[in-house]
Amino acid sequence: MTAPFAVVVNPASGEPAGREGRTERLRRRFAEAGLEADIHPTGRGRSPGEAARAAVRSGAATVVAAGGDGTVSGVADALVAAPRPARLGVLPLGTFNYFARGLGLPLDEDRAIAVLAGGHLREVHPGCVNGRVFLNNMSLGLYPSILERREGIYARWGRSRIAAYWSVVLALAGMQRPMRLSLTLDGRTRRLRTPLLFVARSAFQLETYNLEGAEAVRAGGLAVFAASGTRRRDLARAALALARGKPERGDHFALGTARRLVIGTGRSRSLVARDGEREWMQTPLRVAPARSALDVHVPQEDAG
């Protein structure tokens, strides 16, 4: 019989040599919590989304994403499009864990597994760009370049917040010319020139960096940011202001809010970042909250 929980996990990610493997550790901890769980590993060409789809086909009632925001987003993308409903569980094992922290999920493995055992659910409407899910944000321009730098730094030095911030410095040093975009927000079109466009669906992430737009996101919309500066030093100041939690509208970012957004880039395809994962997409890009909600396991006080 199929276990009620299917855990999607990268068995090698971040594991020190000589210790109990992540797969074995999670299997043991689920058993200690009295929960049956099948492990669906990723890696070697198998993405979190593919592993989640296999788990849904096997009949799992809850698919648990064990990883960072990229892993959770890949699993959520598969569940939104799945032919049969399955709930989403999260074991936050990443660097930033914005989605999990926004739902009040504990970052400790055992406590996060206890949340799954409690069975409390909350409906979450993620964002979608061209039909693909994002939980925190999607972006164009400079940020996908930052992610490319970050992957190389992580591969050499390991995952850390310092390494993530250093990737920003390197990406700024190699910045190319700004994009020329057309944005249609709820039917109103404007044109702009910017090196970075950022669309948020996480009120928690906005509040973490002291950015405006959280109330619009909680009301079911999107917060759309465009970097105001077009030179390296302008963007360096904006990055420093974000790190200090003191960004300013006008000097650093232009802000708009909308329920639906259409982005024209003047190209047939554009590189898009969704929750830290990069992907080429056909343009124009159509962004909106997902029609289908996800049922997510949350702590009892955050259920409802």
Side-chain angles (χ1 to χ4, degrees):
M1 294 180 62
T2 302
F5 292 92
V7 184
V8 174
V9 60
N10 185 337
S13 176
E15 287 300 298
R19 295 188 181 180
E20 180 184 29
R22 176 171 290 170
T23 298
E24 291 72 21
R25 184 178 73 244
L26 290 178
R27 184 178 286 113
R28 173 176 57 80
R29 289 186 169 174
F30 270 84
E32 289 171 352
L35 303 178
E36 295 181 60
D38 292 329
I39 306 297
H40 291 256
T42 66
R44 297 183 179 179
R46 193 188 199 202
S47 69
E50 291 168 335
R53 284 188 284 273
V56 172
R57 288 194 298 269
S58 72
T62 293
V63 182
V64 181
D69 286 312
T71 298
V72 181
S73 183
V75 171
D77 185 58
L79 296 187
V80 165
R84 54 172 294 274
R87 298 183 289 270
L88 173 65
V90 180
L91 295 184
L93 306 179
T95 303
F96 293 99
N97 303 304
Y98 289 119
F99 181 70
R101 290 160 60 201
L103 292 175
L105 290 168
L107 302 185
D108 175 77
E109 277 185 18
D110 290 330
R111 292 175 60 204
I113 291 172
V115 168
L116 299 174
H120 304 290
L121 300 174
R122 175 179 171 182
E123 272 196 359
V124 173
H125 283 268
C128 276
V129 51
N130 287 11
R132 302 298 303 276
V133 161
F134 63 94
L135 299 173
N136 299 314
N137 61 73
M138 60 80 54
S139 61
L140 294 172
L142 184 62
Y143 189 58
S145 299
I146 291 172
L147 294 176
E148 184 176 18
R149 299 276 187 173
R150 184 180 298 177
E151 288 172 5
I153 293 170
Y154 281 173
R156 183 171 183 180
W157 301 106
R159 292 177 175 268
S160 71
R161 296 197 179 196
I162 292 176
Y165 296 143
W166 180 240
S167 67
V168 176
V169 175
L170 294 180
L172 285 173
M175 188 183 80
Q176 303 299 316
R177 66 181 61 183
M179 304 175 291
R180 297 182 182 273
L181 304 176
S182 68
L183 300 184
T184 303
L185 294 87
D186 292 337
R188 305 182 309 275
T189 300
R190 58 177 294 192
R191 299 185 184 280
L192 74 160
R193 186 168 174 261
T194 181
L196 170 65
L197 186 76
F198 182 90
V199 182
R201 191 72 184 101
S202 167
F204 175 83
Q205 189 177 46
L206 293 178
E207 291 171 341
T208 296
Y209 289 101
N210 200 28
L211 288 164
E212 299 177 61
E215 291 307 314
V217 169
R218 288 197 179 94
L222 305 163
V224 185
F225 297 87
S228 299
T230 58
R231 297 173 298 180
R232 290 186 183 91
R233 65 170 177 258
D234 298 329
L235 291 169
R237 290 193 193 102
L240 180 60
L242 271 178
R244 296 171 58 202
K246 296 181 178 180
E248 296 181 10
R249 189 195 294 199
D251 288 344
H252 301 138
F253 299 99
L255 168 69
T257 59
R259 294 282 301 188
R260 297 185 181 279
L261 170 67
V262 180
I263 307 169
T265 65
R267 300 180 178 182
S268 61
R269 295 195 312 157
S270 290
L271 185 62
V272 177
R274 296 183 300 115
D275 293 329
E277 302 297 323
R278 294 173 299 140
E279 177 180 356
W280 286 95
M281 289 188 170
Q282 298 292 323
T283 59
L285 302 169
R286 302 183 185 277
V287 191
R291 294 180 180 178
S292 301
L294 288 165
D295 285 328
V296 185
H297 286 264
V298 296
Q300 183 174 4
E301 60 271 18
D302 197 43

